[in-house]
Amino acid sequence: MPILTLIARATDGLALLQSGDKYAGLSDDEMHVFKSQGKQILNPMSSRNAPLPSKVSIDAGRCIFHYMREAGIAYLTLTEKAYPKRLAFLYLEEVHQVFEEQLKKDYGEKWRQEVETVPRPYAFMRYDRFINRKRRDYADPSSRRNMKKVEEELADIYNITRKNIQEVLNRGEKLEHVSEMSGRIASESKSFKWGSKKLRLQAQFQKYAPMAAVGLLILTVGFYKFFW
């Protein structure tokens, strides 16, 4: 089931709502660690962070985070590893729909402005009851209702990126490494391009050299025959 759900402003990671505090399969200490990791994942302002894909699953050991970004809002849920990935993203899509519906009811056309300017964290905790209903709906992945949802959903789950929690939390350092590698690859690609050109010239020479030699021989024989 969706154990923990976090909603945050995508631009700066400000927490807007948190749903789920207790889970029988996790100790309080483990839950605290997962909450901390979730907040780090949602925080794009850290110098160690780089933008995540709009949808990504993040392996976190015993559990897995599923992340989705839509309309300037980031949605994150934590599930057990055995929980179907597609069902987790269907859950996040419904959470997004419910959250946006409530914002529109309360703020009308100015709901985006409200999200962008709200100064304090957890300003929309009053919507938690709606999120909890969705959590209950998705609690049992083997229920007929949820199995039908997965069967009817035609989206390809393999297009959703999967990462490791350490890759995500340390992705700033990895980007520096990638930048260095890209510089080396660019330099090597120039050498490779020149090497490829030489190989093509050699292949052409090998292909047409015999024909040129035969032509030259015929010209030489003809010359001696008519002029000597």
Side-chain angles (χ1 to χ4, degrees):
M1 68 172 292
I3 300 167
L4 173 69
T5 302
L6 298 168
I7 302 176
R9 190 161 58 200
T11 53
D12 60 2
L14 180 76
L16 304 175
L17 184 151
Q18 176 180 298
S19 183
D21 287 315
K22 298 284 185 179
Y23 181 63
L26 296 174
S27 68
D28 290 344
D29 288 342
E30 287 176 312
M31 197 67 172
H32 177 75
V33 169
F34 283 128
K35 285 180 182 178
S36 177
Q37 289 177 339
K39 290 172 184 175
Q40 289 180 68
I41 292 168
L42 290 170
N43 182 11
M45 303 302 288
S46 169
S47 61
R48 294 169 68 82
N49 283 3
L52 285 168
S54 59
K55 286 186 178 181
V56 61
S57 294
I58 303 162
D59 194 328
R62 288 186 58 189
C63 297
I64 186 165
F65 286 103
H66 302 282
Y67 169 94
M68 184 182 84
R69 187 173 62 254
E70 190 73 40
I73 300 172
Y75 302 86
L76 186 73
T77 191
L78 178 74
T79 69
E80 293 180 326
K81 281 193 172 181
Y83 193 84
K85 180 164 73 170
R86 187 56 210 155
L87 200 59
F89 280 99
L90 285 171
Y91 165 72
L92 287 179
E93 287 165 11
E94 290 200 20
V95 166
H96 156 64
Q97 291 168 8
V98 168
F99 189 67
E100 195 170 294
E101 283 172 10
Q102 296 307 313
L103 287 169
K104 288 177 179 177
K105 282 182 183 178
D106 288 351
Y107 304 102
E109 295 181 356
K110 295 183 177 180
W111 70 270
R112 290 177 186 272
Q113 183 180 347
E114 184 65 25
V115 170
E116 291 169 358
T117 58
V118 65
R120 60 186 178 86
Y122 304 107
F124 303 102
M125 282 300 296
R126 62 186 181 278
Y127 300 154
D128 182 34
R129 59 193 178 99
F130 301 106
I131 307 303
N132 266 320
R133 286 177 195 168
K134 291 297 175 185
R135 287 179 65 226
R136 288 194 294 270
D137 288 344
Y138 281 84
D140 182 6
S142 62
S143 70
R144 183 179 299 178
R145 178 177 177 273
N146 286 331
M147 289 181 72
K148 186 178 179 182
K149 280 185 178 183
V150 173
E151 288 170 2
E152 290 176 349
E153 179 55 52
L154 300 178
D156 183 5
I157 64 170
Y158 296 104
N159 287 334
I160 298 171
T161 306
R162 180 160 178 162
K163 292 180 178 289
N164 179 276
I165 187 69
Q166 293 305 320
E167 287 183 88
V168 173
L169 300 186
N170 296 312
R171 61 188 180 273
E173 292 179 356
K174 290 185 178 293
L175 282 177
E176 292 176 6
H177 179 61
V178 169
S179 178
E180 291 175 4
M181 286 186 64
S182 65
R184 290 200 300 270
I185 290 170
S187 176
E188 290 170 3
S189 66
K190 291 179 182 177
S191 300
F192 176 77
K193 188 179 289 186
W194 169 238
S196 299
K197 189 174 181 180
K198 286 201 296 185
L199 286 173
R200 286 196 300 271
L201 290 172
Q202 289 174 3
Q204 289 176 353
F205 177 77
Q206 290 173 358
K207 180 178 180 181
Y208 295 110
M211 296 173 63
V214 171
L216 183 61
L217 179 62
I218 292 171
L219 287 172
T220 303
V221 171
F223 178 81
Y224 277 100
K225 183 176 181 180
F226 290 104
F227 295 98
W228 288 87

